[in-house]
Amino acid sequence: MSVSAGIVGLPNVGKSTIFNALTAAGAESANYPFCTIEPNTGIVPVPDERLKTIESYIKTQKVIPAALEIVDIAGLVKGASQGEGLGNQFLGHIRQVDAILHVVRCFESEDVVHVSGSVDPLRDAEIINLELALADLESAEKQIERNQRTAMAKDPESAKRMAILEPIMAVLQEGKPARVALDGMDASAQRLAKSLGFITTKPMLYVANVDESDPTGASNPYVAKLQAWVEEQGAAMVVISGAIESEIAALETAEEKEAFLQEMGLDESGLSKLAHAAYKLLGLYSFFTAGPKEIRAWTIPAQTKAPQAAAVIHTDFERGFIRAETYSLADLAAHKTEVAIRAAGKMRSEGKEYVVQDGDIMHFLFNV
C-alpha cells in the first residue's frame, strides 16, 4: 500500500530543508516566505534494520524497503483559510495525504527571518492548527447545507452523514480539530468521517526542528515547551535537526552516515525517526518476503488478515489464496535457513483468518 505524509508549517521553519534532506529531491530552499509554491513530492525508503538481519541469512540479488511518500506543502500563515499569504490554494494538497508532519521551529537564527518576527513554537503551532480547523469549518458548513436538503428528502446516506457532520461542526467551531469528534464514534462512523475530506481528521505528528548544536533538543527550552503542549494534546512529537539531516544526506556511504551519527551522539537519523513515528501514528506494520531474487518489506494496516496482506503484493494472490507459510525473524536467527526452520517444525501454515503480525516473513500459496 502507498503511504503519504505532508509537511506543513509556517514559512521559514525548515520544511523544505528537511524535505530536501530526507528525499534528496532538490526542492528549493531559501530565506524568504513562500519559497515553496507547488508541492514537491519525494519517495523515501523506510529504514528497517530487520531487512539487514534477513539478508545476513538469505542471500539475495536486491533488498527493497518499504516506502513513504513525503509532500512538501507551501508555508501557511495566519489567515490562510481566508486567503492571506498565498491563501488556501495549498490546503487542497493537504487533503490528499494520509498523515501530517507539522514542522515547528525551535531554534534562533539571525540569518533566517521568522514570519512573525520571533520564535514561539506554541504560537506557531496554534496558528497552523487554527487555519486547518477554519478550512475544515468552511467545508463542514457547505457539506451540512448540501446534506440537509437531501436528508429532508429521506435519503438514508445523507442522514448518516448529517449524524457525523454535526458533531464535527461543533468541535471545529471551538477551534479544535475534527479528529476530536471522532473519539466518540464507532468504527463505521469513523470510516465515514474520514472519507469526507476533512484535513483535521488526519493524524498529526509534530516535528521540532532544532539547531545542530543540540540535535536531541535536550537543553532546548523551546523543545521542552512544545513537548509539554503536544502531550496535553494527546499527540506525538519527534525532534530532528534539518541542518544535520542535510549533512547526512550529503554523505555517500552508509558507513559514513553511521559514523557521523555516532559523532553527533544520535542513535538514528531524522528519516528513521520520522518514518517509524509515522508508521506508529498510522497503525501500520511491515511483513517481509524473502528469496534469492529479492528481500522486500510490504506495508499493511495492523489487524490485516493473510489474504488481504497477499493482495498488497498482487490482487491475484488474494483472489486465489490457499494459505500462507510463515515464520518469524527469531526463527530465522535460531535456525539460519528456511530448510532448517521447516525441519524444526517452525514453518507455520496459516489460513484465511490469520492476522499478520509485524515482522512476519511470508510465502503465499495461491491458485487462479
Side-chain angles (χ1 to χ4, degrees):
M1 61 178 289
S2 175
V3 182
S4 61
I7 300 179
V8 303
L10 290 173
N12 285 4
V13 298
K15 300 186 314 303
S16 292
T17 298
I18 291 172
F19 174 83
N20 285 340
L22 298 184
T23 66
E28 185 181 2
S29 175
N31 182 24
Y32 56 89
F34 312 116
C35 172
T36 302
I37 298 177
E38 290 301 319
N40 297 294
T41 301
I43 306 295
V44 301
V46 176
D48 196 327
E49 290 296 318
R50 296 173 296 183
L51 287 167
K52 292 181 181 178
T53 303
I54 296 170
E55 188 184 12
S56 69
Y57 296 107
I58 300 176
K59 301 309 174 187
T60 192
Q61 294 177 21
K62 58 184 176 180
V63 177
I64 305 174
L68 176 67
E69 180 183 61
I70 297 181
V71 183
D72 178 25
I73 296 163
L76 300 172
V77 296
K78 187 175 182 179
S81 60
Q82 302 301 315
E84 291 297 322
L86 289 182
N88 57 14
Q89 60 180 295
F90 304 124
L91 297 175
H93 301 309
I94 308 174
R95 298 186 196 279
Q96 308 305 314
V97 299
D98 300 306
I100 297 172
L101 305 178
H102 185 163
V103 178
V104 184
R105 178 170 166 173
C106 291
F107 66 90
E108 295 278 2
S109 174
E110 294 180 359
D111 298 326
V112 182
V113 297
H114 192 291
V115 70
S116 298
S118 63
V119 177
D120 184 338
L122 299 197
R123 177 203 61 207
D124 294 354
E126 288 174 340
I127 286 173
I128 296 298
N129 287 346
L130 180 59
E131 291 306 319
L132 298 182
L134 289 172
D136 275 353
L137 179 60
E138 181 180 356
S139 174
E141 289 171 344
K142 291 178 180 177
Q143 291 192 58
I144 285 177
E145 181 181 354
R146 184 168 60 250
N147 280 279
Q148 274 179 334
R149 293 194 297 269
T150 50
M152 289 175 66
K154 307 298 184 184
D155 176 53
E157 294 304 315
S158 294
K160 286 181 183 178
R161 285 191 290 270
M162 284 298 295
I164 289 168
L165 286 165
E166 287 172 345
I168 286 177
M169 179 81 159
V171 299
L172 290 171
Q173 287 175 327
E174 296 176 3
K176 297 177 182 177
R179 72 181 74 90
V180 172
L182 271 59
D183 292 341
M185 297 180 185
D186 61 28
S188 175
Q190 288 186 5
R191 285 193 295 272
L192 179 55
K194 290 176 182 178
S195 73
L196 297 178
F198 292 113
I199 298 169
T200 61
T201 57
K202 299 180 185 298
M204 179 178 285
L205 176 68
Y206 291 89
V207 181
N209 187 16
V210 299
D211 187 83
E212 59 188 320
S213 63
D214 182 16
T216 65
S219 59
N220 186 321
Y222 294 133
V223 170
K225 187 177 180 182
L226 181 63
Q227 181 70 64
W229 180 81
V230 167
E231 289 176 0
E232 287 178 6
Q233 312 302 308
M237 185 179 98
V238 296
V239 178
I240 70 172
S241 168
I244 286 179
E245 295 305 312
S246 296
E247 293 185 55
I248 294 173
L251 299 174
E252 294 184 359
T253 68
E255 291 75 17
E256 287 177 318
K257 293 178 181 181
E258 183 64 30
F260 182 81
L261 286 171
Q262 290 179 359
E263 182 182 334
M264 298 302 299
L266 298 172
D267 296 327
E268 58 181 344
S269 68
L271 169 59
S272 183
K273 283 184 181 179
L274 279 177
H276 296 153
Y279 264 52
K280 183 177 180 181
L281 188 71
L282 291 166
L284 300 176
Y285 283 170
S286 288
F287 74 89
F288 306 102
T289 52
K293 289 188 176 180
E294 68 175 35
I295 296 170
R296 185 164 184 164
W298 303 89
T299 302
I300 55 171
Q303 302 304 309
T304 297
K305 293 183 178 180
Q308 288 69 54
V312 174
I313 301 174
H314 198 288
T315 53
D316 283 350
F317 285 23
E318 179 182 17
R319 185 160 56 91
F321 180 87
I322 299 172
R323 67 179 185 276
E325 292 187 332
T326 308
Y327 61 96
S328 70
L329 200 59
D331 294 329
L332 182 59
H335 300 283
K336 316 304 182 189
T337 69
E338 288 190 355
V339 171
I341 290 170
R342 198 179 297 276
K346 295 295 184 178
M347 183 73 76
R348 308 189 313 274
S349 181
E350 305 288 0
K352 292 182 178 180
E353 295 304 309
Y354 176 67
V355 177
V356 177
Q357 301 300 299
D358 187 34
D360 275 352
I361 304 170
M362 309 186 78
H363 295 293
F364 295 102
L365 283 76
F366 68 101
N367 182 30
V368 292

